[in-house]
Amino acid sequence: MNQEKRIVSAILDAREQRWNKRLSLAKRYNSCVICLALNIPGTNKNPPQSQLALQRLSQQFEAKLESENIEVTAKVEADSVDGNYIMWVVSSPSAKLKRMTVEIEQHDPLGRLADFDLINSKGITVGRSELNLSPRCCILCEQMAAVCVRNRNHSFDEVWDAITNKLNQVAI
């Protein structure tokens, strides 16, 4: 197996481990689990400044939780080949939590890089569509991100440059 295939395999394994960790936390605490990672394409999931961006987005989310008097039951931070991540266990309505994460994704300068995944206490994913919210927009244009990815509307280099520019702004 060549190096790139090994990396891709390790990323897929790490993704599965993260999913299992979310399910385990939801079951253990009988609560919602929010996982924050960054939307980074390719095999380098932890480019320079990504940890700082993750921490800044984490601070934004925790400030929102605090402003709503929502208590965090547990918090997990992990380094991963699939991209570092932070998980929070929270006893609050999943719809309210999802709306909070979407607000960050849409309005924070780093929000387009944020990937907030939410599962409820039963381990069921709560997405934008369940709340009749519009899908995410592409980082480069106003089309739905999923359409641009599926149709390969932009080259990897174009997307990587946009992400790198956003990450470099964190250091400023």
Side-chain angles (χ1 to χ4, degrees):
M1 189 183 309
N2 69 28
Q3 180 68 12
E4 185 158 338
K5 285 184 181 179
R6 277 194 288 275
I7 293 170
V8 170
S9 179
I11 288 170
L12 293 173
D13 288 345
R15 206 169 275 176
E16 185 174 349
Q17 289 172 6
R18 184 175 4 170
W19 173 252
N20 289 335
K21 180 71 172 173
R22 277 185 275 195
L23 290 175
S24 172
L25 290 169
K27 183 177 180 180
R28 177 177 174 192
Y29 292 99
N30 193 33
S31 296
C32 292
V33 178
I34 303 99
C35 181
L36 168 63
L38 299 180
N39 280 316
I40 307 287
T43 55
N44 179 8
K45 300 294 189 178
N46 293 302
Q49 306 302 335
S50 62
Q51 189 61 32
L52 182 56
L54 188 70
Q55 291 302 322
R56 291 215 181 145
L57 289 161
S58 169
Q59 291 167 355
Q60 289 294 319
F61 181 62
E62 289 177 0
K64 285 191 174 298
L65 291 173
E66 187 175 326
S67 73
E68 295 287 331
N69 295 313
I70 298 172
E71 189 174 325
V72 175
T73 307
K75 181 178 175 181
V76 174
E77 297 185 51
D79 295 342
S80 174
V81 69
D82 183 35
N84 299 342
Y85 62 87
I86 303 169
M87 290 184 192
W88 297 267
V89 178
V90 179
S91 290
S92 187
S94 58
K96 180 177 185 174
L97 292 168
K98 187 61 181 179
R99 281 187 171 80
M100 291 168 66
T101 64
V102 169
E103 187 175 317
I104 293 170
E105 290 172 348
Q106 290 180 330
H107 300 294
D108 188 277
L110 293 170
R112 185 55 197 93
L113 299 180
D115 182 14
F116 283 100
D117 290 328
L118 171 66
I119 62 171
N120 65 22
S121 60
K122 294 174 177 45
I124 298 170
T125 301
V126 179
R128 289 173 177 237
S129 61
E130 284 79 17
L131 302 177
N132 295 318
L133 298 173
S134 60
R136 293 185 75 132
C137 288
C138 172
I139 195 168
L140 294 170
C141 69
E142 295 303 312
Q143 287 192 27
M144 290 186 299
V147 171
C148 286
V149 170
R150 183 179 61 241
N151 295 338
R152 296 184 176 166
N153 291 348
H154 312 289
S155 72
F156 176 84
D157 289 340
E158 288 175 303
V159 175
W160 186 256
D161 288 346
I163 289 169
T164 302
N165 288 336
K166 286 196 176 290
L167 289 173
N168 288 337
Q169 292 172 8
V170 174
I172 298 172

